[in-house]
Every structure is written in structure tokens, then in C-alpha cells.
Amino acid sequence: MQVAIIGAGAAGLSIALALHSRGIQCTIYESREAPHRGMGALMLAPNALRILDSLGLYQQLRSRGFNFSTVEFRDQHDTVNDTWQMGNQDQYGYDALRITRPAFLDVLRAAVEERCIKVKYAARYSHIVEERQKGVTFQLGDGTRIEADILVGADGVYSDVRRSIAPTVEPIYSGSLALLATIRRRFANEAASTTIKPPQTTFYYGQSNALLVLPQEHDGSQACLGTQRKYSEQSREDWVHLGYDKDKLYDLFMQDTSEWPQRVQDAMAQIDKDNIYIWPFYTLPDLPSWTSLPHRRTILIGDSSSSIPPTGGQGACQAIETAYTLAMVISTISKTPNLPADSYTTSIASWQSARQERVQKAKLFTTQLDNNRLPPAERAKLPAGTYWEAGQHPDLSWLYGAGLATKGVTRVEVQKNRGAVTRVRAATVDEIYGMNENLQNLPRVGTGDGVKGAC
């Protein structure tokens, strides 16, 4: 089995490492000429950290990011109105982790290099030449043609691979622009620093504005300040130009900030214009299929197949889950002899259905969390079930628990059929598949009669 992966971002590196852990050969093709470290940071919850731990990456990541369990919701008077649990060592085995994107990618790339996984840079994907029942041929920009058993598109929200599955689908601008800045969590006024502590992991909500404060180094010495503004859509080139206009970004960031409490204003006073960057929010329409039809040899994962707003920290987490579960299905199929001809397509179809169901649930969770930050008068206009009242904390074991979900997780069963042939079936299940006693490793998929592999 040979898998080709387009894109060397978080999703592409994750599936490469997951495939390698199961003995599946893969090659990553990246259009950039050298590794790209990216900007910003990720919020990783227990559901993703458990997978990364099973791949031997958690301890390195943990030492490079800020570990925490709750986020505070504060109003403009600095009053705590609610807290939200993003992780919990005792309950789920892991606290949440806030880590810069460059640090996250550095750890994954180091593991890819250490494990001798092939990465080819300056290898821009062009198009699919032919897809067959048992393989796919695709072409790079320089004319090189490559044969693979499976092609995985992990090339982001502007995916080129997606054209072969959903040629008319384009990212949709949400109308909102995120402005983010990194600061050192200290005060210029030494007297103030002894009496006013800098904000912790906090969402501040005012009458017309919102601000987040998220530490993201291991000792909390660096923090990200973030806010959101309505902004007209720009071309990709103009977004780049706006990103370099630091004076304009600073003015946008500082609009309507007088309502914030003093310690927030002290923190904002430390913003360096050069450390401000933007994130225009783009979403994808729900795709009917993440895989090519009828053979399903081309598969989309991560932002190329779905997009989740960042509020709940589940965008990267769901991409990592998708990568790991797909690797599990591919591994089980590849290691099972004498499969019927339709086993691959039916298993991938069932995997896709399970993942789409879980991603939709994660999207609803994010919408509810997003709506919690609205002013009470606006929130009261929303339909029931689209937000939570303060202190009304739902059970999140389906999301964070030891098992990827109570429903919508993918199970692959390998069974003998009347003693003659072996069939692989992927299905959604209601059981929670647990971890071993020390919560360090996910169960592995085996092969043979009656073996069940769970993610």
C-alpha cells in the first residue's frame, strides 16, 4: 500500500505519522520550496492530545506549550461570569494545550524526519490523470506523473485536490476578520505589576466588542491577544497587503477598547505593531462527499474537507482525529487478505459517514460556545440549543473522553464470512472505546478473525 499526501501542514504531517505508525508507506508532496512554519497558535484539547500521545509526540508538545484546564468568561468590569473546561488531567487524562503553530509544526516535522518519512518540496499538485478501482495517477506541476494506491488531499481550505471531488466549491468569507497580537505578559509599570495580575486564559465580552487573552508558552510568558472586526472581503493578494499594513491593523485593533478593565488596557499597551497579524475567517459549505466517486481513491481531510471556527479549539483537533481514523481504516484493509472487491469502497464510505457526523457535532458545539459571548439581549433572540446559559455546562465526555466519541467514532471489524472470505466493515458505534490503564496509548488495530480495531 502506497499513500500520497498533498500538503505538509498539520493534517498532512499527522496522517503521515499515523500511517507510518501502522507500517503504511507514504510520501508527502508540498508545493512550497521549504518547510513553512506558519503563524499564530493552536488550541489542542484532550481528544487530539490523546492521539498525539499515541504517536509519541505529546511530551515534546507539552513542554513547548501552555497547559491549562479552564477558560474564564469576564465582562467589561472584570467580573467572572462563567468558566469553561477545555481539558482536565484527572477527568480526561490531559489538560488542554495552547501552542504556537511554528512550535507544533517543528515537533511534527522532526518526527517525520526521524522516522524517515519522505517529504518532497517544490512539488506542486496539478491534477488527477486517472483514477481506477485499485489506484490513482496524478500529475505535478512539472509534468511528473505519480502512481499511488490512495491520494490524500491535506492542502487546506484553498485545496487544489478538492477540485477533483467538488469542482464548484469555493471557501466562503464569513465577513469577519480576526486581529491577533503577541505580547510578553509583563507590565511596563513595575508598581502595577505587583497589584494587577495580567489576564489569564480569558474571553472578555463587552457590549460591542470581545477580546481573548491566551497564554501560549510553557511558562505563560507570552500571550496572544485577539479580537474580531467586521471587514469587507479582499482578494488573496489584498489580504496579504493588509497583513503588512501594520499601522492600519493597529488602528483596527485599538477601536472601541475604552470599555476594557485596567489590566486589559495595560496588556494592550504592550502591543507591538510588528507583532499584529490577521486571520480572515473562511468556511466551506458542507461537502456531500470527502472522497472521489465511485472508487474513493482520492480523500480529503482537514480544512480541505471541512472548516470549523476556532472558538472551541476543535479545528485542528478534528483534523487530527480524521487523519488518525483514516490511517486506521487504511491499515486494517491493507493487512487483511482475501477481501471482496467492494470492501475498500464500503469501508471508506462508512468511515466518511462517521467522521462527517462527528465533525457536524463539533461544529454545533463551536456555534454554541461562540454564541455564549454575545450580549444577553442578542443571545436571547437565538433559537434554543444554540447557546448555553452561564453555569450550564454540558457533558463533554463525547468530545474529550477516552475514546473519540460515544457515537460517530469509526470501528473497523475484520470477520470471516462463512470461513471463505474476509470482509472489512466500518461502522458508527455507540460504545466508548477506552484506553489502557495509564491512558498513554490508543488501542491498535490488529488483523485476523474477529478482530476489532477502535480509535
Side-chain angles (χ1 to χ4, degrees):
M1 179 74 72
Q2 178 64 48
V3 179
I5 301 164
I6 307 300
L13 296 171
S14 295
I15 193 168
L17 291 165
L19 288 167
H20 178 272
S21 74
R22 295 174 178 274
I24 304 297
Q25 291 187 345
C26 61
T27 302
I28 301 173
Y29 297 88
E30 169 58 47
S31 61
R32 293 185 176 92
E33 296 184 0
H36 178 64
R37 302 192 75 221
M39 299 176 65
L42 304 172
M43 193 98 79
L44 298 175
N47 51 315
L49 295 174
R50 189 173 291 109
I51 291 172
L52 294 167
D53 199 0
S54 77
L55 298 174
L57 305 174
Y58 174 63
Q59 294 303 325
Q60 297 175 67
L61 293 168
R62 184 179 185 278
S63 67
R64 298 188 64 175
F66 183 76
N67 299 270
F68 66 100
S69 58
T70 59
V71 174
E72 292 182 342
F73 290 77
R74 291 176 176 261
D75 61 22
Q76 67 268 35
H77 306 297
D78 215 5
T79 301
V80 178
N81 292 321
D82 202 1
T83 59
W84 188 264
Q85 191 174 85
M86 299 294 290
N88 187 293
Q89 173 74 34
D90 295 333
Q91 188 172 357
Y92 304 120
Y94 302 85
D95 287 333
L97 179 70
R98 173 81 178 176
I99 185 170
T100 65
R101 189 176 296 273
F104 178 75
L105 293 176
D106 282 350
V107 171
L108 267 61
R109 287 197 185 103
V112 163
E113 183 176 353
E114 176 187 287
R115 299 169 198 188
C116 300
I117 299 171
K118 295 179 183 178
V119 183
K120 296 186 177 182
Y121 291 98
R124 185 174 185 84
Y125 167 87
S126 175
H127 64 278
I128 290 176
V129 176
E130 180 189 18
E131 186 167 326
R132 305 166 298 281
Q133 184 179 20
K134 293 188 176 181
V136 59
T137 303
F138 66 96
Q139 184 167 306
L140 300 180
D142 63 3
T144 302
R145 292 192 173 187
I146 298 167
E147 303 277 348
D149 294 292
I150 298 171
L151 174 65
V152 176
D155 49 341
V157 72
Y158 296 105
S159 172
D160 290 321
V161 180
R162 190 173 58 239
R163 293 197 309 269
S164 66
I165 295 174
T168 63
V169 171
E170 295 291 341
I172 300 171
Y173 180 52
S174 68
S176 294
L177 173 68
L179 297 157
L180 305 112
T182 54
I183 65 167
R184 286 290 164 187
R185 294 178 69 240
R186 63 182 186 274
F187 288 99
N189 185 328
E190 291 297 329
S193 68
T194 61
T195 58
I196 307 175
K197 293 182 179 179
Q200 301 299 309
T201 309
T202 308
F203 285 95
Y204 279 96
Y205 298 114
Q207 293 300 313
S208 60
N209 204 356
L211 180 79
L212 59 84
V213 183
L214 299 172
Q216 56 193 32
E217 298 243 348
H218 186 69
D219 60 358
S221 61
Q222 185 187 88
C224 171
L225 304 183
T227 191
Q228 208 169 301
R229 297 286 184 269
K230 296 293 183 183
Y231 203 87
S232 60
E233 185 174 13
Q234 309 291 302
S235 67
R236 293 179 70 175
E237 294 77 13
D238 286 341
W239 282 129
V240 172
H241 293 152
L242 179 61
Y244 283 110
D245 191 344
K246 301 300 183 180
D247 289 330
K248 185 171 184 176
L249 296 183
Y250 182 80
D251 290 341
L252 280 172
F253 205 119
M254 302 305 288
Q255 285 177 2
D256 303 321
T257 57
S258 59
E259 64 183 313
W260 298 128
Q262 186 59 48
R263 64 174 180 162
V264 174
Q265 304 233 12
D266 289 340
M268 295 185 72
Q270 294 184 57
I271 293 176
D272 184 334
K273 293 180 182 180
D274 291 337
N275 290 332
I276 300 177
Y277 56 99
I278 61 173
W279 182 1
F281 288 150
Y282 279 83
T283 61
L284 281 179
D286 291 335
L287 302 183
S289 180
W290 296 356
T291 61
S292 56
L293 298 174
H295 303 304
R296 300 189 188 275
R297 292 286 168 170
T298 303
I299 304 171
L300 302 174
I301 66 171
D303 286 345
S304 65
S305 61
S306 60
S307 56
I308 301 177
T311 310
Q314 281 298 309
C317 293
Q318 291 303 313
I320 291 167
E321 280 189 14
T322 298
Y324 188 90
T325 53
L326 178 58
M328 180 271 290
V329 174
I330 291 172
S331 171
T332 303
I333 293 170
S334 69
K335 295 176 181 178
T336 305
N338 303 319
L339 289 176
D342 66 343
S343 289
Y344 172 83
T345 54
T346 56
S347 294
I348 294 297
S350 295
W351 163 84
Q352 173 185 273
S353 177
R355 288 305 306 159
Q356 286 176 320
E357 179 182 343
R358 181 155 165 84
V359 167
Q360 286 302 318
K361 194 171 182 179
K363 283 185 176 181
L364 175 59
F365 157 76
T366 301
T367 298
Q368 291 169 325
L369 190 58
D370 231 356
N371 288 341
N372 273 26
R373 71 184 186 179
L374 295 174
E378 290 187 38
R379 197 167 60 219
K381 300 175 184 177
L382 298 174
T386 59
Y387 66 92
W388 290 298
E389 297 290 353
Q392 181 189 5
H393 295 161
D395 178 13
L396 291 177
S397 59
W398 68 271
L399 182 60
Y400 297 153
L404 296 186
T406 56
K407 185 175 182 182
V409 77
T410 300
R411 176 175 66 184
V412 171
E413 295 180 351
V414 183
Q415 299 176 327
K416 288 290 185 181
N417 181 10
R418 297 181 180 177
V421 298
T422 305
R423 180 174 295 275
V424 174
R425 179 176 66 85
T428 61
V429 295
D430 291 332
E431 297 91 343
I432 297 177
Y433 287 95
M435 309 271 289
N436 62 15
E437 291 182 358
N438 61 12
L439 293 172
Q440 293 303 305
N441 296 299
L442 285 166
R444 298 294 186 181
V445 174
T447 57
D449 294 354
V451 173
K452 296 179 183 178
C455 315

